[in-house]
Every structure is written in C-alpha cells, then in structure tokens.
Amino acid sequence: MVKIRVLYDEIGNTLTVWFDDPAKEYVCEETGDEVILMKDRSGRVIGFEKLNFSSSVSQERSLQIAFETVRG
C-alpha cells in the first residue's frame, strides 16, 4: 500500500505532499511557480510543497482532502 502524507501549515501557509518517506529527501528544487520539488538521491520526486497556500483555507479554518484513483 502506498502511503501519501498531506501536511498543511497554516502559520507558514504551505501545503506539503509526500509520496515517499521524507527522510529520503536529498535535494529540493524550486520550480518558479511557488512550488518546491523534493527529490531522493536518484532524482525521483518524492514530494512537493506549495508555498503561499492560504486562499480561503485560513478563513474557513478547515481543510478537506479528497483522494481519487484513476485507472486507464
């Protein structure tokens, strides 16, 4: 089973999503669109962080996550 972690930091206004163990992070790369990619030693993306993620979430004080699997 794949475990995906989603973390919302309301003080830092960031949304972080991990597809693998955060301890495997080796390097980070900013895309220029306020998104940071976290990569392992082989260069595989294991997570990302969206900066300035506040919009209406901070006003509503709640965040709902929907997860869907698409099969082709």
Side-chain angles (χ1 to χ4, degrees):
M1 178 173 84
V2 176
K3 182 177 179 181
I4 296 175
R5 295 180 61 203
V6 178
L7 305 141
Y8 172 58
D9 178 353
E10 67 179 331
I11 295 172
N13 293 328
T14 60
L15 181 73
T16 306
V17 179
W18 290 101
F19 309 116
D20 204 336
D21 181 2
K24 293 181 181 178
E25 179 183 342
Y26 180 71
V27 67
C28 294
E29 175 184 308
E30 189 167 357
T31 66
D33 296 324
E34 297 186 331
V35 174
I36 297 173
L37 301 178
M38 285 83 84
K39 299 179 178 183
D40 63 11
R41 285 190 174 273
S42 67
R44 186 176 63 92
V45 174
I46 60 170
F48 70 88
E49 184 170 65
K50 172 65 175 113
L51 306 176
N52 298 312
F53 183 84
S54 59
S55 62
S56 62
V57 173
S58 58
Q59 295 170 2
E60 294 180 22
R61 308 289 297 164
S62 65
L63 177 65
Q64 294 183 356
I65 304 291
F67 187 82
E68 298 179 29
T69 301
V70 179
R71 297 176 192 236

